[in-house]
Amino acid sequence: MTATALGTRVASAVWPSAALLVVSAAAILAVGARSLGAEHYSTDPIGVLAAAGAAALVILAVPRMPSRAVPVTIALAVLLGVHAVAGPLAVVLAASGVRASALETWWSALWLPIFSLGQLAAVIALLRPPRWLGATLIVVAAAAFAVSASSAPAGSFDRVATTTGDGSASLALEVSVDVWMLSLLVLPAVTVARILRADDDARRPLLAVALVSVLPLLGIAGCLALAIARDPGRVDPSVGSVAFLVLLGATSAGVVLSAPLAAPTASGGTAGSAP
């Protein structure tokens, strides 16, 4: 067996192994937390399945992504894997009397860069947006994550906790999250601008790109709908929090998995050209 063939076989085994590792670690930690009597929505079986399953699906999708989208897809896979494992780990530590405040607050804010990287990975796979645009969106997501993590209250992992806070938010948190949400409109807007400038033959493939780019926005809309329904009591807080994990996982995995499917369509038009 040549060195190239051996390297190919090893590389092909890395991604399934990583996916299995994430799912196993999340499941073991969730079972451990439940056995310790600690209940948290991050250890709910449905929430664990959604978080770990999304991480595994994105990890397995890395080899099928175009080379230019692989770095961002790997970063997304890492964040999803950390998100799937860190929540149950924080619950286990809290139930064992070990306070891991940094882990708790980082976990509670990871959804911000996860949504951004999912959208960016899919659009880069289908288009070639300017590098400065992708870098700007990553910086905005990182800033929103940093502010949100620093504003999140610690100490909620040793009880039956939900995504509901105390209703207060600092001005910096509100501004950073608002700017982050606006940043998610940039890539769909760029795609729509191309559609308006393109001829009839090129518009159809660009529509596939536009549909993929709005998936994170639909996921966020679902999260906001859950928050609105939870306040009047239409949705139980614990159920709504688990549903948030399901929406986050489904959106992140869906946007990445749909990119290779839309790639043949997008490559048939002008999607690959720079603006």
Side-chain angles (χ1 to χ4, degrees):
M1 180 182 295
T2 65
T4 302
L6 178 61
T8 302
R9 292 188 62 177
V10 171
S12 64
V14 166
W15 304 114
S17 301
L20 179 61
L21 177 63
V22 169
V23 173
S24 300
I28 291 172
L29 288 170
V31 171
R34 294 277 165 163
S35 66
L36 292 173
E39 294 187 5
H40 187 272
Y41 69 95
S42 65
T43 64
D44 183 273
I46 297 177
V48 171
L49 178 63
L57 289 173
V58 172
I59 291 171
L60 294 174
V62 169
R64 294 191 290 273
M65 297 293 281
S67 58
R68 63 179 179 272
V70 166
V72 178
T73 307
I74 291 177
L76 173 64
V78 170
L79 287 188
L80 284 170
V82 170
H83 189 263
V85 173
L89 176 59
V91 176
V92 170
L93 292 176
S96 303
V98 179
R99 173 60 59 208
S101 300
L103 183 64
E104 297 175 10
T105 54
W106 292 349
W107 181 86
S108 66
L110 269 179
W111 62 277
L112 292 156
I114 285 176
F115 270 124
S116 293
L117 287 181
Q119 184 193 58
L120 187 59
V123 173
I124 289 177
L126 301 173
L127 299 174
R128 289 183 175 87
R131 290 185 179 181
W132 65 264
L133 179 58
T136 300
L137 297 180
I138 291 175
V139 169
V140 169
F145 164 76
V147 175
S148 180
S150 63
S151 304
S156 63
F157 280 62
D158 52 0
R159 57 185 175 81
V160 180
T162 69
T163 55
T164 307
D166 59 2
S168 62
S170 66
L171 178 61
L173 177 60
E174 292 181 350
V175 171
S176 63
V177 173
D178 287 344
V179 172
W180 169 79
M181 292 186 70
L182 289 175
S183 73
L184 292 180
L185 299 174
V186 173
L187 292 175
V190 169
T191 307
V192 170
R194 291 187 180 185
I195 292 174
L196 295 177
R197 297 197 307 265
D199 55 32
D200 292 339
D201 293 335
R203 284 180 180 175
R204 186 172 299 174
L206 285 171
L207 284 173
V209 182
L211 291 175
V212 171
S213 68
V214 299
L215 283 178
L217 298 174
L218 296 178
I220 293 173
C223 294
L224 292 175
L226 285 171
I228 294 172
R230 187 168 51 196
D231 282 342
R234 295 191 182 97
V235 176
D236 182 80
S238 60
V239 174
S241 298
V242 173
F244 164 75
L245 292 180
V246 173
L247 276 173
L248 178 63
T251 302
S252 303
V255 71
V256 171
L257 294 176
S258 62
L261 299 177
T265 303
S267 63
T270 61
S273 60

